[in-house]
Amino acid sequence: MNTKRLWAGFILVMVISFGVLLYYGEEIYRKAPPEPEKVVTQSGETLFSGQDIKNGQNVWQSIGGQELGTVWGHGAYKAPDWTADWLHKEAVFILNKWAEAEYGKGYAALNDENKAALKARLKNLIRKNRYDENTGVLTIPDVQAEAVKAISKEYTGLFMDGPQYQKLREDYSIPPGTVKDPERMHEMNAFFFWATWATSTDRPGMEITYTNNWPPEKLIDNKPTSSLIIWTGFSVILLLAGIGLLAWYYASNREEEDFTEVPKVNPLSGQHITPSMRATLKYFWVVSLLILVQIGMGIITAHYGVEGLGFYGLPLDKILPYSVSRTWHLQLAIFWIATSWLATGLFMAPAVSGHEPKYQKLGVNVLFIALLVIVVGSMAGQWMGIMQRLGLVDNFWFGTQGYEYVDLGRFWQIFLFIGLFIWLFLLGRALWPAITKKSDNRQLLILFLISSIAIAAFYGAGLMWGRQTNLSIAEYWRWWVVHLWVEGFFEVFATVVIAFLFVRMQLIKPKLATATVLFSTIIFLSGGILGTFHHLYFAGTPTAVLAIGATFSALEVVPLVLVGFEAYHNIRMSKASGWIQTYKWPINFFVAVAFWNLVGAGIFGFVINPPIALYYMQGLNTTAVHAHAALFGVYGMLGIGLMLFVLRDMNLQPEWKEKQLKFAFWTLNIGLLLMVLISLLPVGLMQTWASVKYGLWYARSPQFLNHPPMQTLRWLRVIGDTVFTAGALVLVWFVFGLKTGWSIKKK
């Protein structure tokens, strides 16, 4: 492969893709669901002010936001999607009121002809857009206002302390007094009303709602649009075509297999371990501990799915409610994976260049302290925010922003952003002598530096929304972080760093590694950047987002069909004789990365990515299947593999006790597979059936989820979780045992 052409292709993909992403970002700004100045009834009563809606969004964020139920399908899997729930309750209330007035009985008791007449009238009432752009006033019919008041009263009892809602609170894992102030509750109801209004009201001059007719709701004829179905078919065709073209290109341009002879002696055996390189050891100790805490939070969060407000009889919700445990579970995953990768970069930079800059160890230690402060400080702030101990402004800055994966308060976000640039500075200054020196490794080092810059810079997208930014716009920028940062440039960094590890050990030629990494990056980012839009189909975005997202999210899967070659290559490496056997288990974790890339990111990702699939599956456990298999399966396994590689390089002399690593490797992978296949996936598929047949409101309802078969499936997760936890415990025991000596064979 010609590296000059590959570099040109890389630059072209970046420029065009980000140009399109930013152009349609502006369209999202212009066409986001409007936030009215006030909401009034036809008889002139004011229900909500525009500030009520904005403040209500902040109240929702303060109780955990997307960590307690979902809005527009984004968030947690416990409790309802509040927009789907509100919409169904509103429709049923109005239909029953009309049926009682005209026929003297409830809607469910009417014959089909009368039901059809009332449904048609309801659709015309609910879907008509009565927002006045000139005055900023949203006017709703009086009967709809009655429904709004009734639902607001119900939600007030649910989120505050209405005794009649105790059983429902247990079903939803909402502790009594989750919202303590009646004014805050009024404002949160205003936000829920507005978010629901966007899902049920047609865009001006169009016959689709602001959320592309999502969620599915038969009572107002919210159903998939023709464009949704057409673009689904196109995405499947494009996937098949992309796979075929990639296979042809790979076969026709593939050079002879690189049978690089394994050196007789480990090329790294004579490397000098500098003070800053040794200082990274404590990073990996923290990584190990955070893995255990994250798994502990996951166990508590999963258990809330069956016990509601307790943990085996203990009233844990009083000090650690579901929204806190889930917030910490997700946040800690990002923290420990990122810490492992950052530490690997700090270790590798002086090792590659042979240069230890002045005060490099001090910088590594200062960054370590900063990361600890961010982890502890942000978690404490999230707890205080969710427990309603902060004002709305204070909560935004120091508590929880309530958005999945970027829950930490804005102060902690900025602190972490600065920390990433400190890391980039430390890494760059140590690596620079090697980059400026002409060598076969130079292009690969430049790629490594570019991916590191991207990791530091793209986290800044999380600073692009404000405290009261329209939810559609906030979601656009949030997915820059979750998809482009976590699922995008982390992937590029991973590809580069694995290739570079093998180049350093002289197992791959630098030229081939550079070409392979560039090619993989181009293919991945060709779909990955614009594939961001598949998260935004139903987030109040224009229909063009649907077309682009469907097209390019299909292309995201294309490069994953070739991960078998990567897995085969890594397995062959691990089985090589001689010194390479000392790296067997770190390499095996890279093999696991390839497996989970195909299964978790590829298969389970594409299952939910096509528009018609996501229309019914968004917010169900099918999303959790993809999240667990991709986040831990790909990035978690890679973080562990990198950690073990560095720990091996720190001291090549002692012989490791491999039985511990073997046990940890297999139990982590088998446990993850079990929790997905025997619990999350069956629950998600059953919910999908319910969503297609009845609607999302029913698929997330306690009457469906509390069926004995569903409860059994959720309990079955204990099997996978137990196996997985055993592996994590042994892994952590092994890591600390390298220091104490219990993981090292005695001579």
Tab-separated table of all heavy atoms in Angstrom, residues 221-246:
chain	number	residue	atom	x	y	z
A	221	ASP	N	-51.117	7.582	15.935
A	221	ASP	CA	-50.553	7.214	14.637
A	221	ASP	C	-49.075	7.579	14.521
A	221	ASP	O	-48.603	7.928	13.439
A	221	ASP	CB	-51.347	7.879	13.495
A	221	ASP	CG	-51.350	7.020	12.228
A	221	ASP	OD1	-51.058	5.817	12.340
A	221	ASP	OD2	-51.637	7.565	11.148
A	222	ASN	N	-48.344	7.514	15.628
A	222	ASN	CA	-46.888	7.635	15.577
A	222	ASN	C	-46.338	6.304	15.074
A	222	ASN	O	-46.328	5.308	15.813
A	222	ASN	CB	-46.317	7.943	16.966
A	222	ASN	CG	-45.852	9.370	17.098
A	222	ASN	OD1	-46.193	10.213	16.287
A	222	ASN	ND2	-45.096	9.663	18.144
A	223	LYS	N	-45.921	6.268	13.846
A	223	LYS	CA	-45.420	5.034	13.251
A	223	LYS	C	-44.249	5.359	12.345
A	223	LYS	O	-44.023	6.527	11.992
A	223	LYS	CB	-46.530	4.328	12.469
A	223	LYS	CG	-47.106	5.144	11.328
A	223	LYS	CD	-48.267	4.418	10.664
A	223	LYS	CE	-48.846	5.251	9.511
A	223	LYS	NZ	-50.001	4.570	8.895
A	224	PRO	N	-43.469	4.348	11.943
A	224	PRO	CA	-42.299	4.618	11.101
A	224	PRO	C	-42.686	5.303	9.800
A	224	PRO	O	-43.687	4.948	9.172
A	224	PRO	CB	-41.719	3.223	10.843
A	224	PRO	CG	-42.254	2.364	11.939
A	224	PRO	CD	-43.586	2.923	12.288
A	225	THR	N	-41.900	6.277	9.412
A	225	THR	CA	-42.136	6.980	8.158
A	225	THR	C	-41.603	6.154	6.989
A	225	THR	O	-40.810	5.224	7.174
A	225	THR	CB	-41.437	8.342	8.162
A	225	THR	OG1	-40.020	8.132	8.273
A	225	THR	CG2	-41.919	9.195	9.329
A	226	SER	N	-42.037	6.497	5.784
A	226	SER	CA	-41.547	5.788	4.597
A	226	SER	C	-40.041	5.976	4.435
A	226	SER	O	-39.326	5.047	4.045
A	226	SER	CB	-42.291	6.276	3.355
A	226	SER	OG	-42.155	7.681	3.212
A	227	SER	N	-39.534	7.192	4.752
A	227	SER	CA	-38.089	7.437	4.620
A	227	SER	C	-37.302	6.567	5.597
A	227	SER	O	-36.189	6.120	5.295
A	227	SER	CB	-37.772	8.914	4.854
A	227	SER	OG	-38.147	9.322	6.152
A	228	LEU	N	-37.882	6.319	6.769
A	228	LEU	CA	-37.231	5.458	7.763
A	228	LEU	C	-37.018	4.062	7.196
A	228	LEU	O	-35.940	3.466	7.330
A	228	LEU	CB	-38.112	5.393	9.015
A	228	LEU	CG	-37.474	4.879	10.298
A	228	LEU	CD1	-36.705	5.989	10.988
A	228	LEU	CD2	-38.550	4.350	11.237
A	229	ILE	N	-38.022	3.543	6.526
A	229	ILE	CA	-37.948	2.192	5.970
A	229	ILE	C	-37.012	2.163	4.765
A	229	ILE	O	-36.196	1.246	4.610
A	229	ILE	CB	-39.359	1.711	5.587
A	229	ILE	CG1	-40.232	1.612	6.848
A	229	ILE	CG2	-39.307	0.361	4.879
A	229	ILE	CD1	-41.696	1.420	6.574
A	230	ILE	N	-37.108	3.180	3.916
A	230	ILE	CA	-36.261	3.229	2.718
A	230	ILE	C	-34.783	3.296	3.100
A	230	ILE	O	-33.948	2.569	2.553
A	230	ILE	CB	-36.643	4.441	1.841
A	230	ILE	CG1	-38.007	4.194	1.180
A	230	ILE	CG2	-35.575	4.701	0.775
A	230	ILE	CD1	-38.592	5.411	0.506
A	231	TRP	N	-34.445	4.162	4.070
A	231	TRP	CA	-33.043	4.310	4.441
A	231	TRP	C	-32.522	3.095	5.194
A	231	TRP	O	-31.322	2.801	5.171
A	231	TRP	CB	-32.831	5.586	5.248
A	231	TRP	CG	-32.880	6.801	4.374
A	231	TRP	CD1	-33.842	7.760	4.341
A	231	TRP	CD2	-31.929	7.149	3.373
A	231	TRP	NE1	-33.562	8.694	3.377
A	231	TRP	CE2	-32.382	8.344	2.771
A	231	TRP	CE3	-30.743	6.590	2.921
A	231	TRP	CZ2	-31.695	8.977	1.747
A	231	TRP	CZ3	-30.045	7.211	1.889
A	231	TRP	CH2	-30.522	8.392	1.313
A	232	THR	N	-33.430	2.350	5.828
A	232	THR	CA	-33.017	1.085	6.446
A	232	THR	C	-32.573	0.102	5.373
A	232	THR	O	-31.512	-0.525	5.471
A	232	THR	CB	-34.164	0.482	7.264
A	232	THR	OG1	-34.475	1.342	8.352
A	232	THR	CG2	-33.785	-0.899	7.798
A	233	GLY	N	-33.398	-0.022	4.318
A	233	GLY	CA	-33.032	-0.911	3.215
A	233	GLY	C	-31.737	-0.493	2.554
A	233	GLY	O	-30.874	-1.331	2.251
A	234	PHE	N	-31.562	0.817	2.376
A	234	PHE	CA	-30.345	1.318	1.747
A	234	PHE	C	-29.123	1.016	2.604
A	234	PHE	O	-28.057	0.681	2.088
A	234	PHE	CB	-30.468	2.828	1.512
A	234	PHE	CG	-29.306	3.420	0.778
A	234	PHE	CD1	-29.154	3.219	-0.585
A	234	PHE	CD2	-28.342	4.162	1.449
A	234	PHE	CE1	-28.064	3.753	-1.275
A	234	PHE	CE2	-27.255	4.704	0.775
A	234	PHE	CZ	-27.117	4.494	-0.594
A	235	SER	N	-29.278	1.131	3.925
A	235	SER	CA	-28.139	0.879	4.813
A	235	SER	C	-27.692	-0.579	4.742
A	235	SER	O	-26.498	-0.867	4.789
A	235	SER	CB	-28.489	1.268	6.255
A	235	SER	OG	-29.410	0.362	6.821
A	236	VAL	N	-28.653	-1.496	4.620
A	236	VAL	CA	-28.304	-2.915	4.511
A	236	VAL	C	-27.589	-3.187	3.192
A	236	VAL	O	-26.579	-3.905	3.141
A	236	VAL	CB	-29.563	-3.795	4.648
A	236	VAL	CG1	-29.224	-5.256	4.390
A	236	VAL	CG2	-30.189	-3.632	6.023
A	237	ILE	N	-28.110	-2.596	2.111
A	237	ILE	CA	-27.466	-2.762	0.802
A	237	ILE	C	-26.043	-2.204	0.838
A	237	ILE	O	-25.094	-2.818	0.335
A	237	ILE	CB	-28.297	-2.057	-0.293
A	237	ILE	CG1	-29.641	-2.771	-0.470
A	237	ILE	CG2	-27.532	-2.022	-1.615
A	237	ILE	CD1	-30.620	-2.010	-1.347
A	238	LEU	N	-25.902	-1.037	1.440
A	238	LEU	CA	-24.582	-0.404	1.518
A	238	LEU	C	-23.624	-1.242	2.353
A	238	LEU	O	-22.426	-1.330	2.046
A	238	LEU	CB	-24.719	0.999	2.114
A	238	LEU	CG	-23.543	1.946	1.874
A	238	LEU	CD1	-23.402	2.248	0.384
A	238	LEU	CD2	-23.744	3.245	2.638
A	239	LEU	N	-24.128	-1.846	3.419
A	239	LEU	CA	-23.290	-2.717	4.249
A	239	LEU	C	-22.736	-3.868	3.420
A	239	LEU	O	-21.532	-4.147	3.440
A	239	LEU	CB	-24.103	-3.250	5.426
A	239	LEU	CG	-23.428	-4.352	6.252
A	239	LEU	CD1	-22.205	-3.814	6.978
A	239	LEU	CD2	-24.417	-4.953	7.249
A	240	LEU	N	-23.609	-4.546	2.680
A	240	LEU	CA	-23.178	-5.686	1.875
A	240	LEU	C	-22.196	-5.245	0.791
A	240	LEU	O	-21.178	-5.904	0.546
A	240	LEU	CB	-24.400	-6.372	1.249
A	240	LEU	CG	-25.402	-6.980	2.243
A	240	LEU	CD1	-26.621	-7.521	1.506
A	240	LEU	CD2	-24.739	-8.090	3.056
A	241	ALA	N	-22.503	-4.105	0.140
A	241	ALA	CA	-21.609	-3.598	-0.896
A	241	ALA	C	-20.258	-3.213	-0.302
A	241	ALA	O	-19.203	-3.493	-0.885
A	241	ALA	CB	-22.251	-2.393	-1.592
A	242	GLY	N	-20.287	-2.566	0.857
A	242	GLY	CA	-19.047	-2.155	1.506
A	242	GLY	C	-18.177	-3.338	1.887
A	242	GLY	O	-16.950	-3.304	1.713
A	243	ILE	N	-18.803	-4.387	2.403
A	243	ILE	CA	-18.049	-5.594	2.767
A	243	ILE	C	-17.393	-6.201	1.539
A	243	ILE	O	-16.216	-6.580	1.547
A	243	ILE	CB	-18.976	-6.615	3.454
A	243	ILE	CG1	-19.397	-6.104	4.837
A	243	ILE	CG2	-18.290	-7.972	3.576
A	243	ILE	CD1	-20.457	-6.958	5.506
A	244	GLY	N	-18.161	-6.272	0.443
A	244	GLY	CA	-17.618	-6.842	-0.784
A	244	GLY	C	-16.453	-6.037	-1.332
A	244	GLY	O	-15.417	-6.595	-1.707
A	245	LEU	N	-16.613	-4.710	-1.382
A	245	LEU	CA	-15.551	-3.849	-1.903
A	245	LEU	C	-14.302	-3.895	-1.029
A	245	LEU	O	-13.175	-3.917	-1.530
A	245	LEU	CB	-16.058	-2.408	-2.011
A	245	LEU	CG	-17.055	-2.133	-3.144
A	245	LEU	CD1	-17.633	-0.729	-3.007
A	245	LEU	CD2	-16.383	-2.305	-4.503
A	246	LEU	N	-14.507	-3.912	0.292
A	246	LEU	CA	-13.363	-3.954	1.193
A	246	LEU	C	-12.610	-5.269	1.050
A	246	LEU	O	-11.377	-5.292	1.035
A	246	LEU	CB	-13.821	-3.764	2.638
A	246	LEU	CG	-12.705	-3.782	3.694
A	246	LEU	CD1	-11.719	-2.646	3.458
A	246	LEU	CD2	-13.298	-3.675	5.101
